[in-house]
Amino acid sequence: MNKKNCAIVFSALVTACLSAAVVVGCSNTHEQDGTAKVVFSDVSEQVGLITQPNWKYGGPSVADLNQDGFYDLLLTNHDSTPVQLFMATSANGYVEHETIFPKVDLHGIAAGDYDLDGDNDILLSVGGGNGLHPSPQRMLRNDHGIFTDVTEAAGVSKLGARGRSVRWVDLDNDGDLDFLQINAAKMLNESTPRNIIFENLGNGKFDYFRSPSFEDIEAERLLITDYNNDNVPDIIAFTSYDKSTILKGNGDLTFTNTSSSVFPQNSKNYPGTITVAQADIDNDGDLDYYFARGKLYYTIANNAVSFDQKRKRLDLRDKGSKGHDGMYLHADNALTLTDFYHFPRANLLKSMPVFIGRNKRQIATPVNPVTILPTEAEGFPDKVEETGWYIGYLGNNKWRFEWNMAADLAWDLRASVIGVEKYEAQWQPQDLSVPDVLLRNDDGVLTDISNVLPNSTRDNNWGVTAGDFDNNGLADFFVYRFGELKRRVVDVMLLNQGGYIFEESVHHNATSEVGMDSHGDGGIAADFNLDGKLDILSGDDDNGKWHMYHNVTPSTENHFLLLHIGYSPNGIDPMGAKVWVKTASEQHFTLVGSPNANHSQSLLNIVHVGLGTQEVIEEVRVQWRDREVTTIKDLPADQLVKVGDNL
């Protein structure tokens, strides 16, 4: 909310062409005739993924929890619905499991086998109740599909926090998974560390490990990686409101901050990052990184406006803190008020009244459409002092629209007005776009090559996942766009053509809620139905559903290989294993874990490799964390091969 009486007048006249472009995307691509190289189909209902519109919180956690060869889905819905677990019954079917943890205000999720018993256990990141109730993160042990809360028994219940992200990772390379958590900034009454590491003692118990370089970093999200290929886990930590950090793992649960030497100079360490994806985009044997960047709800809530002249609709978001703002609206006739809302802040404001005309006639908050005629709203109050919305007709097709907060009563304010021809504001509407970043890894030093990305990546993008969607042997990206304030826009697929050339695709059919009142949040690419083509699991936020998109691209001359990575000969789980697949033309490299990360962490141990036109694999090499190596030679393409053991 703008508290200064700025002299700048912003007059918004948006053409119908521009409005349409926001929804379907504008670019010079191979799709100008409406065709697409990669096409998906929303099969959510067919496979049993039935969910309700809800808030999300930074993507799903996908893992084969029971080691039956099919991926299971852990879905976070933040504030009103507990975590949902959908267990795979086959390559094309899911059934919802009974609730594994009954509480809400949950954020990140992670799956990994901390006790090395052959099934994957679950970490849940619990919020702190707006900082009033910092809570320990929850650890659920998986015993053949029965999930037991062992938070206290495992010794991790003493340190509460405002939970955001949890991770399983073997920080000391001793063969078992340690537990780390990245949390929101501490409140004044918190004495525990902000970010916490628990060392796995190997007997079902964990012990707090003090790591100063990790505990004080400013971040709420992180990606586990190995940027320097030294076989020790590293961390890229990031947040939407501050710079990103690279921590090189030292192999003893400590880290060295290498941001200044690894990030490009003058990069400011890329603030505004929401999700990071990793993939070897040039097949040179190291991981490159895509930073999806944008602004989240609290940042958006500050003089943000979406105006669609064709639909004559204006959507607004502003701060819920103390302040007073307004604008002029021009309309040929009546205005329709709808979707008025304030994001609750500790129940300080039950409802926000709407006052009409000079006499301040009060109406109920227009959650649903309410039409106001000019004759019903003549004039505007001389004084605006009470908390509320104010609207009045001034004559000559001109209206005045104001909102006032007498105190810090909400997290944000939202309103929509239909029938608007144009608007004028004495403040500059906020630009929500933050350009995405593509970083090439040059032997452990990152080079910014973002100039190869199309204009659609210079938007408000909340998520990204990576994988070879067209099986041409090169890693692609799928980018999730926040969209307009009250309207979902199509997500963007970037198809890697080699030589750092990416073709933009918007006709992929993997955004079912285009035009609806929801937003792109995040997801993950995996071959869920094991047909050799990468599918996508996506979550639409505020308020959208979870969607399973199967890749239904017609068969081409390209081939694939699926590798089911099990346990090493010594019984070490597949998290962090490295996989190399060599053909006559290329060598492909994959780090087993998450191809992308926001708040949640996945364990994708069914590695998908696109082979291009190569029909024979010369060599597959898998190296687990314990340095055990399995090599397989001379494999035909287009099959699933199991490597390693099942416990």
Side-chain angles (χ1 to χ4, degrees):
M1 187 173 288
N2 188 357
K3 298 180 181 178
K4 297 181 180 179
N5 186 17
C6 300
I8 300 173
V9 175
F10 181 81
S11 179
L13 289 172
V14 183
T15 66
C17 175
L18 179 58
S19 176
V22 169
V23 177
V24 301
C26 289
S27 64
N28 293 320
T29 73
H30 63 278
E31 296 184 308
Q32 291 181 352
D33 60 355
T35 62
K37 287 185 176 179
V38 180
V39 181
F40 296 86
S41 176
D42 190 336
V43 297
S44 305
E45 292 190 5
Q46 294 95 304
V47 301
L49 182 60
I50 309 300
T51 60
Q52 300 302 314
N54 216 323
W55 290 81
K56 306 297 182 291
Y57 212 95
S61 176
V62 171
D64 184 359
L65 294 178
N66 56 1
Q67 301 293 353
D68 65 351
F70 306 115
Y71 284 133
D72 308 302
L73 317 177
L74 285 157
L75 310 180
T76 177
N77 298 295
H78 192 201
D79 67 334
S80 62
T81 303
V83 167
Q84 292 177 280
L85 169 58
F86 285 84
M87 297 294 295
T89 58
S90 67
N92 289 288
Y94 295 90
V95 61
E96 186 169 4
H97 192 281
E98 63 185 23
T99 300
I100 61 173
F101 188 73
K103 296 183 179 180
V104 296
D105 192 22
L106 297 176
H107 302 148
I109 313 173
D113 187 5
Y114 80 87
D115 52 4
L116 296 174
D117 66 347
D119 46 24
N120 286 307
D121 312 293
I122 298 172
L123 290 173
L124 300 176
S125 184
V126 183
N130 295 325
L132 300 177
H133 306 287
S135 303
Q137 313 309 286
R138 311 309 297 187
M139 183 180 294
L140 307 183
R141 189 183 65 222
N142 181 1
D143 298 314
H144 305 293
I146 298 174
F147 296 92
T148 303
D149 190 334
V150 295
T151 306
E152 291 190 18
V156 298
S157 64
K158 301 298 184 183
L159 297 178
R162 300 173 63 205
R164 290 298 181 266
S165 303
V166 284
R167 296 292 184 268
W168 293 116
V169 55
D170 188 356
L171 292 173
D172 49 6
N173 277 343
D174 65 349
D176 50 31
L177 296 175
D178 307 301
F179 160 29
L180 64 79
Q181 52 180 286
I182 290 272
N183 302 308
K186 294 194 297 183
M187 307 299 284
L188 293 177
N189 61 339
E190 291 185 66
S191 58
T192 58
R194 171 173 176 174
N195 308 308
I196 303 168
I197 293 175
F198 287 102
E199 179 183 4
N200 190 337
L201 302 180
N203 57 358
K205 294 185 179 296
F206 291 75
D207 193 22
Y208 162 63
F209 183 90
R210 186 173 182 272
S211 182
S213 60
F214 172 75
E215 290 179 357
D216 295 329
I217 57 172
E218 186 68 46
E220 293 190 357
R221 308 145 192 262
L222 73 158
L223 175 77
I224 304 298
T225 187
D226 184 9
Y227 76 87
N228 57 357
N229 268 339
D230 66 351
N231 298 310
V232 177
D234 308 311
I235 290 174
I236 299 178
F238 47 97
T239 176
S240 65
Y241 54 82
D242 208 332
K243 62 185 179 182
S244 302
T245 303
I246 296 181
L247 296 179
K248 181 180 73 68
N250 297 324
D252 58 0
L253 292 101
T254 68
F255 299 91
T256 300
N257 190 329
T258 56
S259 305
S260 60
S261 60
V262 176
F263 277 135
Q265 298 298 313
N266 303 317
S267 69
K268 299 181 180 179
N269 293 6
Y270 302 112
T273 299
I274 298 177
T275 304
V276 176
Q278 57 184 346
D280 184 4
I281 63 172
D282 45 14
N283 290 333
D284 67 347
D286 51 23
L287 294 168
D288 310 293
Y289 302 98
Y290 189 110
F291 285 31
R293 303 200 301 162
K295 297 180 180 180
L296 297 176
Y297 291 121
Y298 294 150
T299 308
I300 290 172
N302 185 8
N303 291 339
V305 176
S306 291
F307 179 52
D308 186 335
Q309 188 185 37
K310 184 177 180 180
R311 298 165 64 222
K312 298 183 179 181
R313 178 176 178 126
L314 181 142
D315 301 309
L316 167 76
R317 291 196 188 182
D318 207 356
K319 291 182 179 179
S321 53
K322 184 177 181 179
H324 180 196
D325 244 331
M327 60 173 60
Y328 291 101
L329 306 177
H330 295 263
D332 290 339
N333 204 328
L335 292 178
T336 298
L337 314 181
T338 188
D339 296 319
F340 278 54
Y341 173 77
H342 70 276
F343 199 113
R345 186 172 184 168
N347 295 318
L348 295 175
L349 182 65
K350 290 186 177 181
S351 64
M352 188 164 169
V354 177
F355 300 104
I356 305 297
R358 180 183 297 108
N359 296 325
K360 297 193 292 187
R361 177 173 62 89
Q362 185 173 337
I363 65 172
T365 305
V367 177
N368 298 311
V370 174
T371 298
I372 306 296
L373 297 171
T375 54
E376 299 174 323
E378 292 181 348
F380 196 82
D382 295 329
K383 291 184 178 180
V384 172
E385 297 175 336
E386 300 175 67
T387 291
W389 303 93
Y390 296 78
I391 189 163
Y393 181 65
L394 307 181
N396 296 321
N397 297 334
K398 189 174 185 179
W399 298 68
R400 182 64 181 169
F401 180 36
E402 296 186 9
W403 48 99
N404 183 61
M405 298 295 286
D408 298 343
L409 300 175
W411 292 116
D412 73 23
L413 306 178
R414 307 179 185 188
S416 298
V417 184
I418 301 171
V420 179
E421 297 289 341
K422 65 177 182 178
Y423 74 95
E424 301 170 18
Q426 291 183 302
W427 36 267
Q428 182 76 30
Q430 183 185 177
D431 182 1
L432 301 183
S433 61
V434 183
D436 289 353
V437 172
L438 182 59
L439 298 174
R440 186 184 67 218
N441 191 339
D442 296 323
D443 297 322
V445 177
L446 302 182
T447 301
D448 193 325
I449 58 170
S450 307
N451 61 300
V452 307
L453 298 176
N455 287 334
S456 57
T457 65
R458 299 170 178 87
D459 204 344
N460 185 14
N461 298 329
W462 280 25
V464 59
T465 188
D468 187 356
F469 295 105
D470 55 3
N471 281 337
N472 71 341
L474 297 165
D476 313 305
F477 296 106
F478 189 85
V479 180
Y480 294 87
R481 299 200 287 176
F482 174 81
E484 296 297 298
L485 295 181
K486 294 287 290 183
R487 199 177 191 199
R488 184 77 161 91
V489 303
V490 69
D491 296 323
V492 176
M493 178 172 287
L494 304 177
L495 295 172
N496 189 345
Q497 305 302 301
Y500 308 111
I501 297 172
F502 290 86
E503 287 190 357
E504 181 185 45
S505 170
V506 295
H507 294 292
H508 44 66
N509 296 336
T511 315
S512 294
E513 298 188 20
V514 169
M516 297 174 63
D517 183 8
S518 61
H519 303 287
D521 181 65
I524 195 164
D527 189 358
F528 291 99
N529 61 355
L530 304 179
D531 67 348
K533 293 182 284 191
L534 276 185
D535 312 303
I536 300 176
L537 172 66
S538 295
D540 287 353
D541 190 29
D542 185 26
N543 283 312
K545 298 181 179 181
W546 290 96
H547 299 273
M548 175 65 73
Y549 298 104
H550 278 175
N551 189 333
V552 294
T553 306
S555 298
T556 67
E557 61 182 3
N558 292 336
H559 300 276
F560 70 91
L561 179 67
L562 293 176
L563 296 169
H564 185 286
I565 309 300
Y567 289 67
S568 79
N570 294 324
I572 300 302
D573 64 282
M575 182 78 81
K578 292 185 173 181
V579 179
W580 295 268
V581 174
K582 183 181 179 182
T583 68
S585 61
E586 297 279 5
Q587 178 163 280
H588 308 274
F589 168 62
T590 302
L591 177 68
V592 175
S594 279
N596 55 282
N598 186 315
H599 287 298
S600 291
Q601 176 192 32
S602 292
L603 173 53
L604 301 189
N605 67 317
I606 305 173
V607 175
H608 169 273
V609 182
L611 301 174
T613 59
Q614 299 298 311
E615 299 181 7
V616 176
I617 297 95
E618 294 183 353
E619 181 181 272
V620 170
R621 183 161 58 97
V622 178
Q623 176 183 291
W624 286 266
R625 299 194 311 273
D626 59 359
R627 308 299 173 90
E628 284 285 335
V629 176
T630 293
T631 302
I632 305 174
K633 294 182 180 291
D634 300 324
L635 282 172
D638 303 328
Q639 63 170 321
L640 187 154
V641 177
K642 293 186 177 181
V643 185
D645 303 319
N646 281 345
L647 297 185

